[in-house]
Amino acid sequence: MQAHSTLAQHIRDKLGTLSQFPLLESDCIRLRGLREEDIDGLYRLFSDPRVMVYWSRGPMQSRAEAEDYARNILDGFGKRDLLNWIAADPKTDAMIGTTTLYEINPAHARAGLGYALMPEYWGKGLAVEAATLALSYGFLELGLHRIEADTEPNNVRSNAVLEKLGFQREGLLRQRFIHPDGIQDSLIFGLLNSEWRAHLSAQGYAFEPD
Ligand SMILES: CC(C)(COP(=O)(O)OP(=O)(O)OC[C@H]1O[C@@H](n2cnc3c(N)ncnc32)[C@H](O)[C@@H]1OP(=O)(O)O)[C@@H](O)C(=O)NCCC(=O)NCCS
């Protein structure tokens, strides 16, 4: 692994030179920056009880909360410690969800991964697609060493998505979130840069020679 200080500086430089939100795309999903018209989509997504049942907070009750969420996306990008992409249909560019690298920490070369899709897009493997773009950006572009995720243990879909991506279950944090539906435990998952590269190689991805 690169010397600690140079890796941290490399990550800071990569984030620092970003002039606009990085656009990532595959055949079936696009990760793009926030636009004003996405605020209604954010409200639709995060006010849906089906989406929020395993989230660390309850459903949004007003559009103003979605406006706050949008402001937080822009503030986080400004501070370069949050990349909260809008997940969109590459054909129509319409919002279908979000995908996030949060608490980006150059000093420890790590970040957290989050994602949420509108229910009509569940069951199509799109979370794996979206997360694959974000993980490759985090590991291969930024040079992060570790990316982690936490789920409510009963969130079988999200647990399955993380395991398909090669994440390892690392532990359980008891009674970690106070949710309107009750106190939630957290399953902690972790993925290392070398593991992501091995995962991609296993899928036939060829890396540029260093
Ligand atoms: C988590 C979420 C993104 C997964 O969406 P998705 O990519 O459409 O996931 P899928 O529905 O394809 O399910 C993924 C896997 O879970 C498994 N799965 C799905 N439903 C399941 C069920 N009811 N029981 C057991 N396993 C199930 C399947 O193995 C499936 O993979 P497959 O492609 O092999 O069939 C989506 O459910 C969501 O947005 N939830 C609300 C927000 C959220 O909870 N985000 C994560 C917070 S940690």
Side-chain angles (χ1 to χ4, degrees):
M1 191 172 89
Q2 256 182 314
H4 170 68
S5 57
T6 46
L7 177 57
Q9 198 49 53
H10 168 83
I11 296 166
R12 288 194 188 94
D13 294 347
K14 279 280 179 182
L15 289 166
T17 53
L18 278 177
S19 56
Q20 58 185 19
F21 222 85
L23 177 66
L24 312 175
E25 190 151 339
S26 74
D27 296 347
C28 46
I29 201 152
R30 171 181 296 160
L31 299 186
R32 60 166 173 75
L34 174 78
R35 293 203 293 265
E36 180 69 27
E37 60 266 29
D38 295 321
I39 294 177
D40 289 327
L42 288 171
Y43 184 49
R44 185 155 86 77
L45 178 69
F46 291 123
S47 63
D48 187 325
R50 295 168 296 174
V51 172
M52 303 305 277
V53 62
Y54 296 127
W55 206 255
S56 52
R57 53 149 292 168
M60 290 181 175
Q61 303 299 316
S62 70
R63 191 180 183 280
E65 291 181 70
E67 290 160 8
D68 287 347
Y69 188 94
R71 260 189 297 279
N72 186 51
I73 290 178
L74 299 176
D75 291 352
F77 182 60
K79 289 184 281 186
R80 297 293 190 272
D81 62 5
L82 172 72
L83 289 173
N84 194 134
W85 283 277
I86 297 298
D89 178 334
K91 295 186 198 62
T92 63
D93 210 30
M95 175 181 169
I96 69 169
T98 64
T99 304
T100 308
L101 290 177
Y102 60 90
E103 292 168 10
I104 301 171
N105 182 328
H108 298 292
R110 74 166 184 260
L113 172 74
Y115 40 75
L117 297 175
M118 294 169 182
E120 63 266 36
Y121 294 100
W122 293 2
K124 305 174 193 305
L126 290 173
V128 168
E129 279 280 325
T132 294
L133 291 174
L135 291 170
S136 284
Y137 185 80
F139 284 130
L140 309 183
E141 190 60 33
L142 295 183
L144 295 173
H145 177 66
R146 173 184 162 86
I147 294 178
E148 50 201 38
D150 65 85
T151 68
E152 203 284 346
N154 301 306
N155 194 345
V156 289
R157 288 175 185 268
S158 189
N159 297 341
V161 165
L162 293 169
E163 277 151 6
K164 266 195 248 194
L165 291 161
F167 278 80
Q168 295 192 21
R169 281 186 192 212
E170 296 175 334
L172 179 79
L173 300 183
R174 296 168 307 135
Q175 306 196 357
R176 189 164 176 246
F177 292 112
I178 311 290
H179 186 279
D181 300 349
I183 300 184
Q184 295 180 343
D185 294 344
S186 265
L187 262 183
I188 304 299
F189 291 81
L191 183 66
L192 304 179
N193 193 306
S194 55
E195 293 165 341
W196 183 243
R197 288 170 180 271
H199 175 85
L200 290 177
S201 299
Q203 301 192 337
Y205 183 95
F207 289 95
E208 305 278 322
D210 282 337

